[in-house]
Amino acid sequence: MNVIIKAENVDHWYGEDDNRTRALKDISLEIDEGSFVAVLGHNGSGKSTLAKHFNAILTPELGKIYVAGMDTSDKDLVIDIRRTVGMVFQNPDNQIVASVVEDDVAFGPENIGMEQSQIRPRVDAALMSVGMYEMREHAPHMLSGGQKQRVAIAGVIAMRPRCIVLDEPTAMLDPSGRREVINTIHRLNRDYGITIILITHHMNETVGADRLIVMSDGEIIADGSPKSVFTRVDMLRRAGLSVPDTTQLIYLLRQEGFDLPLDALTVDECAAAIYKKFA
Amino acid sequence: MFKDITMGQYFPGNTLIHRLDPRTKLVLTLLYIIVLFLAKGIWSYAVMLAFLSVCVILSRIKLSVLLSGAKPIVFIIIITGILNLFYTKGEHLLFRVWRISVYLEGLQTAGFLILRILLLICCTLLLTYTTSPLQLTDAMEALLNPLKKLRFPVHELSMMMSIALRFIPTLIKETDKIMSAQKARGADFETGSLRQRAKALLPLLIPLFVGAFRRADELATAMESRCYHGGEGRTKMKQLRMAAADWAALVSGAALTVAVVLLRRAG
């Protein structure tokens, strides 16, 4: 499979001379094109810092990041890199530029100097892919949090990126908004083959991912399928993370002496496992 | 407290006036204001009034709405009217009360002046009532475009304006939130002397400003990651386009100018 993002021994520091903190410690990873990767970590684990390296908002102090083969420290490639990797941020209010939904979605294509006749179809298609086409003439401040975040995603989609990095896109949303956004990005991954990198600290959002990377203190402490990562309950606890509710339930049952599989992640799997045990 | 701030007081609609290119409307409004100061004599004012009346009727904006927009300056209108009425000396004395004499000329000057101010207000209100702030920003950018050659930051200016417009509702919401939070902790914004009330606003303004700076920072990052790199090489989805109606409107504006100038000579 094609590798879309490749990090080689990346180090990053924050702060000035004396009180510098090392936010990323020798990170190396490869992300396959078309995959759905969740990056999990508590506050200050370096996950957002890593995300900002993926589209050249930050550049590594040591090491290299390659996006589709392009070196992110090369200033001339910045626009191409940002066209390839789009980014959605935490607060939907602070990333919407225009006062009309469709104008905001057009912002990216306008920036890259796309021809006028091509912008409109792209904007419409992007809005349809996130289910916001009917609201295209609304003012963003009249929308709900989940809708605003979907507009922000449409703004990225309109650039036709190969990869979207979402930095805690659901942190400021209510449960229904959270579901809207998570369903939307899963659909984009499935239907359009767009690589998704979802940064989050909600365990439950990582369940549908192909791959789960756990970060703590600037380091990758676990990397694998969600099932294999979540079976290591003790390791996650040490990293200050909880596990999905289903895993928690089975973990507690196991401690009571019931032999249940820890990799039953979805609610259905969990229910089936428990049913089989006690039926 | 902030409920009565209407955004640019735009009344959406789909009339001929609403559909005109914002550049046309902006140019026409400026032209109208200039011609208004050239007007002299009853006939030229009649022409000016008729022109604006037709525009107002076409826009389907209610006269009461338009006049209520002129309310804040009623005081100024009355004062200028009275001053002109009493201080203009002429030949035809109408009446004299104590040491104040009113001449026919005074009545005329006062009447024309009030009409001039009213027309001035109404034509600018008509512009903002029928044009969204966003369209106005676009029109301004387009009209100032030639200044780019003089290194005047036209694009930056209009980007700043449209972002400011975009964030007004967001910041108003935030202000309300902070006010509620401070009120819940016993802050009092409504009573006390002016000085005390101004002081009470401080715990409101500081978090608001800190929040605005944080927003600005995040917005800049978001804009950059959407490939924003200034106005160079930027295209626009919604291009302003001059239709037949726009040219007709501009021609009628020119006709108005000629008519008023001629009437001024004749009168």
Side-chain angles (χ1 to χ4, degrees):
Chain A
M1 214 186 249
N2 246 340
V3 172
I4 180 124
I5 292 174
K6 186 174 178 187
E8 285 177 354
N9 310 96
V10 172
D11 256 48
H12 193 85
W13 282 272
Y14 272 129
E16 299 283 303
D17 302 325
D18 287 340
N19 48 23
R20 274 156 65 95
T21 40
R22 200 172 170 199
L24 294 179
K25 298 173 185 166
D26 197 27
I27 301 277
S28 294
L29 57 82
E30 285 183 4
I31 287 170
D32 291 331
E33 182 149 25
S35 61
F36 191 121
V37 181
V39 181
L40 196 62
H42 62 84
N43 290 337
S45 61
K47 58 188 196 304
S48 283
T49 311
L50 183 64
K52 286 189 177 122
H53 278 81
F54 291 157
N55 75 340
I57 292 173
L58 297 175
T59 46
E61 286 180 37
L62 287 175
K64 289 272 178 209
I65 301 242
Y66 296 98
V67 170
M70 295 179 282
D71 184 349
T72 59
S73 2
D74 188 342
K75 289 266 179 292
D76 297 333
L77 294 174
V78 164
I79 297 291
D80 288 322
I81 288 167
R82 289 181 181 156
R83 283 178 74 162
T84 314
V85 178
M87 190 131 175
V88 176
F89 297 88
Q90 191 180 80
N91 189 340
D93 273 326
N94 296 352
Q95 54 187 318
I96 292 177
V97 184
S99 309
V100 181
V101 166
E102 58 179 10
D103 289 356
D104 187 74
V105 177
F107 182 73
E110 288 176 342
N111 283 336
I112 55 178
M114 193 177 290
E115 220 165 292
Q116 199 208 345
S117 56
Q118 288 176 8
I119 300 179
R120 173 56 71 178
R122 277 220 187 182
V123 168
D124 290 349
L127 281 168
M128 278 179 209
S129 69
V130 299
M132 288 294 292
Y133 184 69
E134 276 70 39
M135 314 283 252
R136 64 190 178 281
E137 284 178 352
H138 280 57
H141 68 271
M142 307 298 279
L143 305 178
S144 74
Q147 290 173 325
K148 278 188 230 177
Q149 204 59 293
R150 282 192 284 157
V151 171
I153 294 172
V156 171
I157 300 285
M159 312 269 283
R160 303 262 163 94
R162 286 159 66 186
C163 175
I164 302 179
V165 180
L166 301 103
D167 188 1
E168 301 202 42
T170 61
M172 305 190 76
L173 307 181
D174 55 9
S176 73
R178 214 169 267 173
R179 219 169 309 123
E180 279 173 40
V181 169
I182 295 297
N183 288 344
T184 305
I185 56 180
H186 272 289
R187 205 175 50 244
L188 291 173
N189 178 248
R190 209 175 42 236
D191 298 351
Y192 299 86
I194 299 172
T195 315
I196 301 282
I197 301 175
L198 174 66
I199 317 282
T200 181
H201 60 247
H202 285 285
M203 300 298 138
N204 297 324
E205 289 175 1
T206 64
V207 168
D210 302 326
R211 179 178 169 193
L212 176 58
I213 296 171
V214 183
M215 290 189 70
S216 178
D217 227 4
E219 287 174 295
I220 293 175
I221 57 166
D223 184 351
S225 73
K227 283 188 184 189
S228 69
V229 172
F230 283 131
T231 50
R232 297 160 66 190
V233 178
D234 296 322
M235 178 273 300
L236 289 171
R237 286 262 170 83
R238 275 200 303 279
L241 294 162
S242 58
V243 288
D245 302 335
T246 46
T247 314
Q248 177 73 12
L249 175 64
I250 289 179
Y251 181 73
L252 291 174
L253 285 170
R254 277 168 71 106
Q255 282 190 329
E256 294 296 317
F258 298 103
D259 180 31
L260 287 160
L262 260 176
D263 61 358
L265 267 190
T266 66
V267 174
D268 288 342
E269 283 171 355
C270 178
I274 294 171
Y275 181 77
K276 221 168 94 189
K277 185 76 196 163
F278 295 99
Chain B
M1 178 178 183
F2 296 101
K3 277 184 205 94
D4 35 352
I5 295 182
T6 42
M7 270 283 297
Q9 298 180 312
Y10 171 56
F11 294 99
N14 196 22
T15 67
L16 182 69
I17 302 286
H18 281 88
R19 280 197 310 265
L20 280 181
D21 189 298
R23 286 173 298 178
T24 312
K25 283 189 268 190
L26 196 60
V27 167
L28 267 185
T29 307
L30 290 175
L31 185 71
Y32 189 86
I33 291 172
I34 294 167
V35 175
L36 199 53
F37 284 95
L38 293 177
K40 204 172 160 192
I42 186 134
W43 289 111
S44 53
Y45 273 102
V47 170
M48 292 304 283
L49 183 63
F51 187 83
L52 194 65
S53 305
V54 171
C55 293
V56 172
I57 290 165
L58 283 176
S59 74
R60 303 232 179 96
I61 299 279
K62 285 201 191 83
L63 192 64
S64 55
V65 174
L66 204 59
L67 288 177
S68 72
K71 246 184 213 158
I73 56 140
V74 162
F75 186 68
I76 300 174
I77 294 180
I78 292 174
I79 292 288
T80 26
I82 290 176
L83 285 180
N84 276 283
L85 190 60
F86 295 149
Y87 282 96
T88 313
K89 301 265 183 287
E91 289 167 3
H92 311 278
L93 185 68
L94 286 181
F95 57 86
R96 179 191 282 263
V97 181
W98 186 45
R99 290 169 65 185
I100 299 167
S101 40
V102 172
Y103 296 90
L104 182 64
E105 284 80 2
L107 199 61
Q108 271 178 350
T109 324
F112 284 144
L113 208 73
I114 289 171
L115 190 61
R116 181 182 281 178
I117 297 174
L118 274 178
L119 288 177
L120 190 73
I121 297 299
C122 288
C123 82
T124 39
L125 283 178
L126 189 65
L127 176 72
T128 55
Y129 283 175
T130 60
T131 322
S132 75
L134 215 63
Q135 282 181 307
L136 272 181
T137 320
D138 278 353
M140 239 179 273
E141 183 180 5
L143 290 173
L144 291 177
N145 218 18
L147 290 182
K148 258 187 194 158
K149 290 208 178 75
L150 303 172
R151 304 213 164 186
F152 188 76
V154 178
H155 166 77
E156 285 74 8
L157 210 65
S158 81
M159 184 55 101
M160 269 158 60
M161 274 173 66
S162 58
I163 287 176
L165 288 169
R166 144 78 183 84
F167 274 90
I168 287 172
T170 310
L171 289 178
I172 287 176
K173 217 186 258 173
E174 184 153 297
T175 313
D176 272 342
K177 224 186 267 172
I178 298 171
M179 265 177 115
S180 308
Q182 305 286 37
K183 271 185 194 161
R185 289 182 239 162
D188 180 8
F189 295 109
E190 267 116 31
T191 56
S193 67
L194 197 65
R195 211 185 128 94
Q196 277 170 329
R197 267 188 288 173
K199 242 183 166 173
L201 280 181
L202 215 60
L204 175 71
L205 290 178
I206 290 171
L208 191 65
F209 270 86
V210 172
F213 279 115
R214 202 196 54 240
R215 276 180 201 285
D217 190 41
E218 280 180 30
L219 183 72
T221 312
M223 284 170 74
E224 270 190 10
S225 61
R226 289 168 75 184
C227 297
Y228 182 70
H229 53 284
E232 209 147 310
R234 219 170 166 267
T235 46
K236 287 209 147 182
M237 174 171 72
K238 292 175 182 167
Q239 216 103 45
L240 296 175
R241 217 171 255 129
M242 298 287 279
D246 291 301
W247 296 114
L250 286 177
V251 168
S252 68
L256 177 78
T257 314
V258 172
V260 167
V261 168
L262 287 179
L263 283 171
R264 180 189 156 92
R265 288 231 177 119

